[in-house]
Amino acid sequence: MDNQDNKILNTVEEIKIYSDPYRLRILKTFLDFGRPATVKEVADRMGEVPAKVYYHVKKLESIGLVTIDHTEVINGIVAKYYASYSGQIEIKAAEIQPEMRGVYWSNVRRLIAEQFDQTKETFLERVTGEGDSGKFMQNKLYMNPEEAEELFLRMQKLFEPYERKRGGEQIQSYELFLAFGADLPKTTPNKKEDQSDSD
């Protein structure tokens, strides 16, 4: 499938489907294959029952995060090979009704926490294991919204050549978790309040 455009999730239902920890594991397993895979292949790798995985794959398919890539007839049975969306996923709350904002952000928090936890576990395994160590970086950057958008797009372009699984000597997978957002604007105290505090 074409992953050039960002996948935008902007409803409570979409976020609920995507933020489920089990479904995030399924998406990660699809990506680990580096090629379209059947539900049975994914279930076998996860050590799960295919029927359970299939239910969750259909949920992910309903919001476009997995699609049928092709089918093959194997021993008289049609096997469906699914491809996982591997582009950028963008979460937008602008269209959420005010009364649903609490549910929406609760699911967004769960999603971010789950993705962070999965990446953290992989990072810690690599740091404590033999071989290449994990690397950690945290920066504070100062820019206007246009510069921030430009930087994010440049990072997307930078990662593109490495997002597809490929063969070759010493090719390994590297986990990357990137959180990118502006601070909330700070409210400036009222001058009268400042004066009354100093009296």
Side-chain angles (χ1 to χ4, degrees):
M1 79 191 275
D2 182 6
N3 292 326
Q4 296 304 309
D5 297 324
N6 286 5
K7 177 71 183 170
I8 296 173
L9 305 180
N10 57 9
T11 70
V12 172
E13 185 60 24
E14 288 173 335
I15 294 296
K16 277 185 177 178
I17 289 170
Y18 180 46
S19 65
D20 182 272
Y22 190 78
R23 292 175 193 143
L24 289 171
R25 281 183 58 212
I26 289 172
L27 287 172
K28 187 174 186 309
T29 305
F30 269 115
L31 290 173
D32 286 345
F33 271 98
R35 60 164 175 81
T38 65
V39 168
K40 185 177 183 323
E41 287 177 313
V42 171
D44 288 348
R45 185 167 286 191
M46 292 175 66
E48 296 284 359
V49 179
K52 179 180 178 182
V53 174
Y54 181 76
Y55 169 81
H56 291 283
V57 165
K58 294 306 284 182
K59 288 285 189 182
L60 291 166
E61 186 181 18
S62 74
I63 61 170
L65 291 181
V66 296
T67 56
I68 295 174
D69 182 79
H70 68 280
T71 59
E72 291 180 18
V73 178
I74 302 171
N75 298 326
I77 298 170
V78 177
K80 295 177 182 175
Y81 284 78
Y82 291 87
S84 174
Y85 180 80
S86 61
Q88 302 296 325
I89 296 172
E90 196 172 338
I91 296 170
K92 289 193 173 178
E95 297 175 27
I96 303 297
Q97 296 174 351
E99 62 271 17
M100 295 301 291
R101 291 283 170 101
V103 175
Y104 180 88
W105 287 115
S106 172
N107 281 280
V108 170
R109 284 187 190 94
R110 182 175 72 161
L111 166 66
I112 292 169
E114 182 62 30
Q115 287 184 326
F116 174 79
D117 285 344
Q118 286 184 11
T119 307
K120 179 184 71 177
E121 289 307 313
T122 304
F123 176 82
L124 291 174
E125 284 170 15
R126 291 179 181 180
V127 169
T128 56
E130 293 179 13
D132 193 14
S133 63
K135 295 175 176 61
F136 178 81
M137 179 174 69
Q138 182 176 1
N139 288 324
K140 192 170 207 76
L141 309 173
Y142 297 88
M143 61 194 102
N144 62 40
E146 292 76 22
E147 290 170 327
E149 182 64 19
E150 181 189 347
L151 177 60
F152 191 75
L153 292 173
R154 284 168 58 195
M155 287 190 292
Q156 282 182 304
K157 277 286 195 202
L158 180 65
F159 301 149
E160 276 177 12
Y162 312 105
E163 288 175 347
R164 295 277 181 224
K165 194 169 184 178
R166 65 190 200 276
E169 269 191 53
Q170 298 185 330
I171 297 294
Q172 303 174 74
S173 68
Y174 289 80
E175 292 286 332
L176 175 69
F177 180 88
L178 177 65
F180 190 73
D183 290 337
L184 290 172
K186 293 187 171 94
T187 55
T188 53
N190 187 308
K191 283 188 177 180
K192 286 184 180 176
E193 289 175 359
D194 284 350
Q195 289 173 352
S196 63
D197 287 345
S198 61
D199 289 342

